[in-house]
Every structure is written in C-alpha cells, then in structure tokens.
Amino acid sequence: MAKKSKQFLAASEKVEKGTHYSAKDALALVKEIDFAKFDATIEVAYRLGIDTRKNDQQIRGAVVLPHGTGKTQRVLVFAKGDKAKEAEAAGADYVGENELADKIQGGWFDFDVIVATPDMMGQVGRLGRVLGPKGLMPNPKTGTVTMDVAKAVEEIKAGKVTYRADKQGNIHVPIGKVSFDSEKLFENFKTIHDVVQRAKPATAKGQYIKNLSVTSTFGPGVKVDTSSLER
C-alpha cells in the first residue's frame, strides 16, 4: 500500500469518520481540504448493489452535465462524406477513415472520445483490442455510435460524461473542478445522481446504492447522505 502524504493525512483529519454529509456540505468540505497545486477534478463514486455478471444488471450510459466538467474533450469522428463535413462543422478535432485507424493502430491516442457513424463500425471494430482496454470504443448506449454526429460532438464538447459500472458494481464520474461554484457542482452532482437512480435494474435485490462519496484528485473521500440528493 502506498504511503499517504502528510497533506493527505492532514486533509483526512478534517473528515469526520462515519459521518455521511449532505451533498452540499460534502462538496464544500472537498473544496476546503483540497491541496493540489492545480485545479483538481472533483469526482463522485458509487458502490452499487448489482451483479454485473448478469446482462440485465449492467449499467452504462451518458449524460450532459448542465455546467460541464471543466475539461474540453478532444473528439475524433469516424465518418465519411456529408457526415464527415457535419462533424467538422460541429467542432470535431479529428475526422477521417482509414488514415485515423492506421494512426491508432500505430499507438496514437491524442484524443479523449471517439464518435462513429454505424457504417464505419466495421472498420472501427478492428481496433477493439487497442480501444477496448482504454474505454474508448464507441457504443450506441453512450451515444457515440450515431448518424447524428453533429449532435454527438456538440454534447461531448458541452460536458457530456459517460458512466459504467465495473465488475464490482462501482461507478466513478467527474462532476467538475475545485474552482467551480458550489451550486454548479451540486447541480452537476444532482444530474448524475438522478441518472444513476433511474438506471436501477428491475432485477437488482437489496440496497441499490450501498455507498456514495465525493473526492478531489488527490484528496480523501467524503461520504454522502443520498437522501440529500433526493429532495
């Protein structure tokens, strides 16, 4: 286990053990105890009572946060013809076909999100071995396989985030930067929370949200009382 820094330990002392803070209080505390020398990202983490081995309990999707994440995503679009022109007009950073696929096969990854039209997925699919492990494979569930490439690019640029439960049922989603106004962070938090709540599988048994916390890039986690997001 990595040794915790003095700064981390000092920040942890300000978090009351066993306390579940209201969402607004948790966000205020995370901002207060952040010690990064840059504008750190604030992230929420869910531990869900789901069994991801079952197909009907896999949770994955995307949502546009009302105030974005504070990071401008670099978008690559696989498209041709008029759809390629639409993607370029919408602000895509890279648009193309075979030449982009060849660059990726060669180890180029100067982008954050890939969007593809359905007719390009045969070509993109061959990149699965390199894109899959990095979580970059386009998927209809996240709106990144679509004919409406302009809308996809615009939403990503506006602050669209994806979420996916890992094998242990955990979801991690960025909701902004430490420099964000507290109310904007709360509205982003409420937006993702509502989406996660609606995604509850009908077959999931027992308690759905087992734990919810918020943290900054290097800071300690602060537990959140879920009821404070449901009023």
Side-chain angles (χ1 to χ4, degrees):
M1 182 180 290
K3 185 177 179 180
K4 294 181 173 63
S5 70
K6 291 181 179 179
Q7 291 169 308
F8 182 91
L9 294 173
S12 297
E13 289 178 0
K14 296 181 180 180
V15 182
E16 295 183 16
K17 293 182 179 180
T19 297
H20 287 72
Y21 295 81
S22 71
K24 289 185 176 181
D25 287 346
L27 289 168
L29 182 55
V30 165
K31 284 165 65 72
E32 176 191 336
I33 64 179
D34 174 67
F35 55 85
K37 294 181 179 179
F38 56 91
D39 193 8
T41 295
I42 291 181
E43 180 181 88
V44 295
Y46 289 83
R47 183 163 66 86
L48 304 178
I50 58 176
D51 185 351
T52 56
R53 294 172 299 178
K54 299 179 179 178
N55 289 333
D56 59 359
Q57 291 194 34
Q58 294 180 5
I59 296 177
R60 182 175 188 176
V63 62
V64 178
L65 299 180
H67 304 291
T69 64
K71 177 184 177 181
T72 300
Q73 301 274 59
R74 297 166 298 174
V75 185
L76 182 154
V77 179
F78 280 101
K80 55 188 176 182
D82 289 341
K83 291 301 173 182
K85 293 177 182 177
E86 290 176 18
E88 290 173 350
D93 298 275
Y94 309 101
V95 182
E97 302 177 54
N98 292 326
E99 72 282 7
L100 290 180
D102 291 343
K103 286 183 70 175
I104 292 170
Q105 285 282 24
W108 175 74
F109 292 100
D110 291 341
F111 52 87
D112 301 298
V113 184
I114 295 179
V115 174
T117 53
D119 60 306
M120 296 297 294
M121 283 307 293
Q123 184 172 308
V124 178
R126 292 195 290 271
L127 300 172
R129 288 186 178 180
V130 293
L131 295 179
K134 293 180 178 293
L136 291 169
M137 195 69 183
N139 190 295
K141 291 183 179 179
T142 60
T144 48
V145 177
T146 176
M147 288 301 289
D148 196 346
V149 291
K151 180 182 178 182
V153 171
E154 289 166 358
E155 287 185 342
I156 293 167
K157 291 288 187 178
K160 187 176 186 178
V161 295
T162 59
Y163 57 90
R164 181 178 187 177
D166 62 20
K167 292 181 179 179
Q168 288 73 44
N170 300 313
I171 292 178
H172 297 267
V173 187
I175 60 168
K177 298 287 187 177
V178 168
S179 62
F180 274 30
D181 176 80
S182 294
E183 194 59 36
K184 289 182 178 179
L185 282 171
F186 176 75
E187 289 173 11
N188 280 354
F189 195 172
K190 184 75 167 64
T191 297
I192 190 65
H193 186 75
D194 290 346
V195 169
V196 172
Q197 284 278 49
R198 290 196 298 270
K200 179 182 179 181
T203 55
K205 305 297 182 182
Q207 185 178 358
Y208 177 49
I209 298 178
K210 292 189 171 184
N211 189 51
L212 172 59
S213 63
V214 60
T215 184
S216 61
T217 303
F218 294 141
V222 177
K223 292 184 177 181
V224 178
D225 178 359
T226 57
S227 67
S228 65
L229 289 157
E230 295 163 7
R231 295 167 185 164

